[in-house]
Amino acid sequence: GDSVTQMEGPVTLSEEAFLTINCTYTATGYPSLFWYVQYPGEGLQLLLKATKADDKGSNKGFEATYRKETTSFHLEKGSVQVSDSAVYFCALSDPRKTSYDKVIFGPGTSLSVIP
Amino acid sequence: DAGVIQSPRHEVTEMGQEVTLRCKPISGHNSLFWYRQTMMRGLELLIYFNNNVPIDDSGMPEDRFSAKMPNASFSTLKIQPSEPRDSAVYFCASSEGYSVYNEQFFGPGTRLTVL
């Protein structure tokens, strides 16, 4: 079945460092891809999304490009801030396959940014 | 909109007791999801409702778990009897449903501790 794999954490970076969190997926169809973020003590919230190959999702300085040839959706940010400390989840959904908007989440990658 | 509302935020109970978690989805959303999050298993989908009807309950761990959605603005997840291994954070999420964008809006979660 469909699945999502993420790089293991925790990731610790200094403020203003460059961030990459790797995400690869397995899917037989043409899923939509997402990054969700979970700040401490809160629920998940959508960070960005891409619905077809070569689409680039972006929000709050974060970017990810839907690469069908490598089945990847890596999250990047050029200069992280302490406020970016959170857990990041890569996810996919293919409602055309499951007939409803079921989202498959990766295991999450914890990011800590130190001043 | 106030977002997805969950209650209680924290629940501590003893093994064998009945636990009821509550969720109010965002008004106008017709899909509702219950998730469980633990360190060991990550984020697991327990059950999905669409238009108040349970569509997929394959993630419900066993008969001790039950969920209802009596109307479009309220859902409950009940555990009876509770066990220590049920300790987790339980999230409710809602979405507009049947959309290729599939953004799910999460509540803040209920942290359940079963002693």
Side-chain angles (χ1 to χ4, degrees):
Chain A
D2 294 356
S3 66
V4 176
T5 303
Q6 294 180 233
M7 63 186 290
E8 290 190 17
V11 175
T12 302
L13 295 174
S14 297
E15 205 165 22
E16 299 184 1
F18 185 86
L19 169 70
T20 299
I21 300 178
N22 290 337
C23 169
T24 57
Y25 67 90
T26 301
T28 55
Y30 299 91
S32 298
L33 301 175
F34 309 86
W35 277 100
Y36 280 80
V37 58
Q38 183 180 27
Y39 297 104
E42 299 182 10
L44 282 70
Q45 55 186 274
L46 181 66
L47 180 60
L48 53 84
K49 63 186 178 222
T51 58
K52 62 182 187 296
D54 300 325
D55 268 2
K56 177 184 285 187
S58 61
N59 185 27
K60 299 181 181 181
F62 291 89
E63 292 184 340
T65 300
Y66 190 148
R67 301 287 188 198
K68 193 173 188 305
E69 64 276 14
T70 55
T71 62
S72 64
F73 193 55
H74 304 323
L75 182 68
E76 296 182 337
K77 186 174 185 182
S79 176
V80 293
Q81 305 300 312
V82 172
S83 58
D84 295 326
S85 298
V87 180
Y88 293 82
F89 294 86
C90 186
L92 69 81
S93 176
D94 189 350
R96 289 156 289 188
K97 179 190 298 183
T98 62
S99 76
Y100 71 92
D101 46 351
K102 179 176 181 177
V103 178
I104 297 171
F105 289 91
T109 301
S110 176
L111 170 67
S112 293
V113 181
I114 55 178
Chain B
D1 198 310
V4 176
I5 299 173
Q6 291 187 248
S7 64
R9 292 294 310 275
H10 301 274
E11 177 80 30
V12 180
T13 191
E14 293 187 346
M15 183 174 62
Q17 296 298 305
E18 177 180 295
V19 175
T20 299
L21 312 182
R22 297 173 176 80
C23 174
K24 176 178 168 54
I26 292 173
S27 177
H29 284 188
N30 57 18
S31 292
L32 185 138
F33 306 81
W34 281 101
Y35 290 92
R36 177 172 67 177
Q37 185 180 41
T38 61
M39 288 294 292
M40 290 295 294
R41 302 170 71 100
L43 196 63
E44 304 171 276
L45 176 65
L46 300 178
I47 188 168
Y48 160 73
F49 291 88
N50 183 260
N51 291 325
N52 312 336
V53 175
I55 303 298
D56 182 356
D57 65 354
S58 59
M60 295 286 265
E62 49 198 276
D63 292 345
R64 298 184 298 106
F65 285 70
S66 63
K68 295 182 179 179
M69 192 165 186
N71 57 61
S73 60
F74 184 66
S75 176
T76 59
L77 177 68
K78 184 178 295 186
I79 308 172
Q80 167 63 18
S82 58
E83 297 182 2
R85 60 194 169 115
D86 302 331
S87 297
V89 180
Y90 291 81
F91 289 103
C92 176
S94 71
S95 73
E96 292 182 351
Y98 293 105
S99 163
V100 70
Y101 298 107
N102 297 332
E103 178 173 359
Q104 295 188 11
F105 294 82
F106 283 73
T110 296
R111 181 174 295 277
L112 173 65
T113 303
V114 183
L115 302 175

